[in-house]
Amino acid sequence: MGILETIKDPLDVKRLEAGELPALAEEIRELLVSTVARTAGHLGPNLGVVELTIALHRVFDSPRDPILFDTGHQSYVHKLLTGRAGQFGTLRQEGGLSGYPSRAESEHDFIENSHASTVLSYADGLAKALVLRGETDRTVVGVIGDGALTGGMAWEALNNIAGRKDLPLIIVVNDNGRSYSPTIGGLASHLSSLRMTQGYEHVLELVKNNLGRVPVVGTPLYDTLHGMKKGLKDILTPQAMFEDLGLKYVGPIDGHDEGAVEAALRRARAFRGPVIVHVLTRKGNGYAHAENHDEDCFHSPQPFDVETGEERPKPHSWTNVFSDQMVKIGAERKDVVAITAAMLHPTGLAAFAEAYPDRIYDVGIAEQHALTSAAGLAMGGLHPVVAVYATFLNRAFDQLLMDVALHRQPVTVVLDRAGVTGDDGPSHNGMWDLSILQVIPGLSVAAPRDGARLRELLAEAVGIEDGPSVIRFPKGALPEDVEAVGKLGEMDVLRAGDADVLLVAVGPMAEICLEAATLLDAQGISATVVDPRWVKPLDRALVLAAAAHKLVVVVEDNGRVGGVGDAVARLLRDADVDVPVRTYGIPQRFLDHAKRAKILSEIGLTGQDLARQITEAVARRSPVMESHPARLVQPTD
């Protein structure tokens, strides 16, 4: 029996002799590699925190001492040490362990975060609650990667934490120089200098030689901006930077020396106030193929061969099409620039960056800054394309509304992973964007149904000069291109039918709607299928089309509340068209992790499910439909 098999809860970790810990770390790494090679998931971040997580559970008493991870994808080792090693083979599988902390899985998981830069705010609130309740013998631990420290919310939290000397709170900065890719910005420069050398004179020389190239944008603390007044020494190290805020600092510590990390954590806990513990780790540590993976140290690989490190070939994806088209647009339009929030490769902008290195801006994990910076770029005569995952647009809604749209700036936002994403669970499903975007004046939103339409609509979007635009597409392999059989205004007619049902297919739902239409034919119900292409604003031709049918059905991979279906119903009400409207989309709840196809089936977004539900809807309305005014209206060409 291995040591890991004896770990049922963190108390078992505490009982181990120090000499047993290297063997435990090796067993953990072997299980991480063998499991993620099969299930896919976040490998590099977890290989880097093995010794750190062991030390956390030897020093603190989880769950009495809450241990919080930012972001949650570095919590696999935590799961293994809190009684879930036997289930680890089910990672990211339907009914199995989540790839992020999950309150339903364990009392040791306090938060279910997978959006970066949030943990210090959680920790601040938890620690204040402990003080107010008189439970100051407990300690809150927030583990935050240096990449997450590029997000402004982390510094808002630090500002508040530093103002309370009595908070029983330890902040562990897991500094590996990377988020997905190497961390950028002012803080990264400070931490990088310390990683390169701990000798002050050597660091001083480095900074003197490079100070002119250090960007002002990205320097995280206002005290640092005034650091020159106090001399270079005060702005050279994180110790000075954090201690200027009033936070005690311990480090830097070798994050792969479990004994050193454990000693530093015990020292920090003894302070009984907010303390920064700076831990240096290597992403992918202990697995050579991850350590030597230039792109992202196996941050989140597809299934791979353990011996060779070769990933299973990926099918041509939506992201690939976007990537290729951006390079082409960049060649035609010198004013087009691109912005990524620390996700150059995942969002498909790496090829653009290689082709046009002076026209790409990586702002770190800072979506809010990305959007407002894009507004400034647009004001300066450029056309920015901001590429983010759909779930992360939520973080920058105010900036898109007030900084971009209010000023009618030509900024294009490209949302990858829109709709149901599946394996990454509730926080990553991009099911909110079509609802929140509906309220933004002057915004145009496109939803391509296939690769050909993605290329067309991206070209159209960067041609819009009087306001912002958004394009959204799902995760995964591309469907076959679906060519239109006709046009209705600017909408594509994908299938011409009689006056029974008008099926409005939003983006990739086209394939499902065409399947449903074929099945409806077998029931004697004729359906016309249209793809609006641009779902905001809606084409006025939709009013005439709806008036010519007895039932309008809108199908979208977005939450049903406030989405395209609601916009269609409102459009028809405003035009005094009384055709009934049915909306099919994602139920307004957080979805458990599973494959995309499985989730779509469970929520009724398949051709067969739609055909059945539409048949039932038609049957319920049949007496009314026979005398409906639509009978008197000729179908629109």
Side-chain angles (χ1 to χ4, degrees):
M1 175 180 279
I3 298 174
L4 183 57
E5 293 177 89
T6 69
I7 305 297
K8 304 305 178 185
D9 63 47
L11 288 176
D12 294 325
V13 182
K14 294 178 184 293
R15 296 188 184 106
L16 295 175
E17 298 293 333
E20 297 177 280
L21 300 181
L24 173 62
E26 182 63 25
E27 289 181 27
I28 289 172
R29 285 195 168 90
E30 289 177 358
L31 183 58
L32 289 173
V33 171
S34 63
T35 300
V36 177
R38 179 176 52 82
T39 66
H42 292 92
L43 180 60
N46 288 284
L47 290 171
V49 297
V50 174
E51 289 81 7
L52 169 58
T53 310
I54 291 172
L56 286 169
H57 282 293
R58 284 175 64 81
V59 173
F60 301 102
D61 299 314
S62 178
R64 178 172 172 76
D65 295 327
I67 301 175
L68 318 177
F69 290 88
D70 188 338
T71 61
H73 62 232
Q74 60 182 321
S75 65
Y76 291 6
V77 184
H78 168 75
K79 289 175 184 275
L80 295 177
L81 299 180
T82 52
R84 287 169 275 181
Q87 303 167 267
F88 198 65
T90 68
L91 181 71
R92 302 176 80 246
Q93 309 302 299
E94 182 184 0
L97 293 183
S98 168
Y100 293 92
S102 170
R103 290 165 66 91
E105 280 181 17
S106 173
E107 63 179 346
H108 297 279
D109 294 359
F110 272 75
I111 54 178
E112 303 191 10
N113 66 318
S114 58
H115 286 197
S117 312
T118 61
V119 78
L120 299 186
S121 296
Y122 283 116
D124 175 63
L126 265 170
K128 286 173 179 173
L130 295 184
V131 171
L132 196 59
R133 292 165 59 91
E135 300 180 45
T136 53
D137 58 332
R138 300 171 63 187
T139 303
V140 178
V141 183
V143 182
I144 183 166
D146 67 316
L149 282 176
T150 61
M153 185 174 172
W155 295 96
E156 293 175 22
L158 275 175
N159 184 53
N160 278 268
I161 290 167
R164 289 287 301 266
K165 309 302 182 186
D166 59 339
L167 291 184
L169 171 57
I170 294 175
I171 300 166
V172 178
V173 177
N174 172 29
D175 176 11
N176 62 19
R178 286 176 170 265
S179 49
Y180 286 83
S181 301
T183 311
I184 60 89
L187 174 68
S189 299
H190 283 296
L191 298 185
S192 178
S193 68
L194 197 61
R195 276 193 300 273
M196 287 186 285
T197 175
Q198 294 182 37
Y200 171 71
E201 289 77 13
H202 192 178
V203 175
L204 179 61
E205 191 64 28
L206 277 172
V207 174
K208 282 181 178 178
N209 292 338
N210 292 281
L211 192 59
R213 295 198 294 271
V214 175
V216 174
V217 176
T219 306
L221 291 174
Y222 68 89
D223 277 347
T224 304
L225 297 176
H226 296 284
M228 287 295 196
K229 296 178 182 178
K230 298 187 292 181
L232 277 172
K233 181 175 180 179
D234 289 339
I235 65 169
L236 289 177
T237 68
Q239 178 171 359
M241 182 169 62
F242 290 123
E243 288 186 347
D244 279 350
L245 271 178
L247 293 166
K248 286 184 169 59
Y249 174 92
V250 176
I253 311 297
D254 179 355
H256 302 297
D257 182 338
E258 192 281 333
V261 177
E262 193 174 323
L265 292 173
R266 293 188 189 282
R267 180 182 169 200
R269 186 179 62 177
F271 283 133
R272 303 314 302 166
V275 184
I276 298 278
V277 178
H278 183 190
V279 178
L280 305 180
T281 64
R282 292 182 298 277
K283 192 172 183 179
N285 187 66
Y287 180 55
H289 296 301
E291 291 181 14
N292 299 325
H293 188 253
D294 290 336
E295 182 177 314
D296 62 6
C297 294
F298 271 25
H299 178 86
S300 181
Q302 294 295 305
F304 62 92
D305 182 276
V306 173
E307 296 300 322
T308 66
E310 293 184 9
E311 294 184 66
R312 185 181 301 167
K314 300 176 184 177
H316 198 59
S317 68
W318 293 88
T319 308
N320 295 141
V321 173
F322 166 67
S323 178
D324 294 343
Q325 189 64 17
M326 274 296 291
V327 173
K328 292 178 182 177
I329 290 173
E332 299 164 359
R333 292 273 303 271
K334 305 302 182 185
D335 62 323
V336 170
V337 297
I339 299 177
T340 175
M343 301 184 74
L344 186 69
H345 289 87
T347 60
L349 285 177
F352 185 92
E354 184 175 354
Y356 317 109
D358 295 334
R359 291 154 60 187
I360 183 77
Y361 304 98
D362 186 342
V363 300
I365 305 177
E367 293 85 0
Q368 291 176 310
H369 169 64
L371 265 296
T372 304
S373 178
L377 286 164
M379 290 172 181
L382 302 175
H383 191 113
V385 176
V386 183
V388 296
Y389 284 3
T391 182
F392 298 136
L393 178 67
N394 308 349
R395 301 161 66 94
F397 170 77
D398 183 66
Q399 287 68 32
L400 181 57
L401 175 67
M402 291 297 177
D403 302 336
V404 178
L406 177 64
H407 295 90
R408 298 185 294 279
Q409 292 305 307
V411 173
T412 297
V413 180
V414 176
L415 303 180
D416 200 331
R417 273 71 164 177
V420 172
T421 57
D423 298 334
D424 282 327
S427 63
H428 271 55
N429 290 313
M431 57 177 284
W432 321 103
D433 56 289
L434 289 180
S435 298
I436 64 176
L437 294 175
Q438 288 292 335
V439 304
I440 298 181
L443 174 69
S444 301
V445 181
R449 65 180 179 269
D450 54 30
R453 258 42 63 179
L454 174 52
R455 286 186 283 270
E456 290 174 6
L457 290 166
L458 183 58
E460 292 177 23
V462 297
I464 297 174
E465 296 298 333
D466 58 351
S469 56
V470 170
I471 297 178
R472 50 118 59 191
F473 52 82
K475 177 183 180 180
L478 279 168
E480 294 291 328
D481 285 349
V482 178
E483 298 303 329
V485 299
K487 297 290 285 187
L488 190 59
E490 294 301 314
M491 298 189 299
D492 283 345
V493 178
L494 306 183
R495 187 181 193 277
D498 295 330
D500 290 336
V501 177
L502 176 65
L503 264 172
V504 181
V506 176
M509 295 293 99
E511 187 177 12
I512 292 171
C513 288
L514 288 169
E515 180 186 348
T518 300
L519 295 171
L520 287 170
D521 258 351
Q523 302 297 320
I525 301 170
S526 179
T528 299
V529 181
V530 299
D531 172 11
R533 298 175 71 252
W534 290 95
V535 296
K536 184 183 185 303
L538 289 165
D539 197 316
R540 295 291 301 180
L542 190 57
V543 174
L544 293 176
H549 290 79
K550 295 176 287 185
L551 176 67
V552 175
V553 174
V554 184
V555 185
E556 58 188 305
D557 55 342
N558 183 77
R560 293 180 65 236
V561 177
V564 178
D566 284 357
V568 170
R570 183 171 60 254
L571 175 72
L572 299 184
R573 285 197 306 270
D574 291 348
D576 288 328
V577 174
D578 295 327
V579 180
V581 178
R582 292 292 301 273
T583 298
Y584 297 95
I586 302 173
Q588 220 69 38
R589 68 170 188 264
F590 295 107
L591 304 174
D592 291 334
H593 60 278
K595 297 297 182 186
R596 173 179 163 88
K598 177 68 172 181
I599 293 176
L600 291 177
S601 177
E602 288 181 349
I603 63 179
L605 286 183
T606 68
Q608 187 170 7
D609 288 324
L610 286 173
R612 175 181 53 78
Q613 294 176 80
I614 293 170
T615 299
E616 292 171 357
V618 169
R620 286 194 299 270
R621 289 180 170 82
S622 289
V624 176
M625 284 184 166
E626 291 302 321
S627 60
H628 193 277
R631 284 290 189 187
L632 308 176
V633 179
Q634 294 300 314
T636 304
D637 291 334

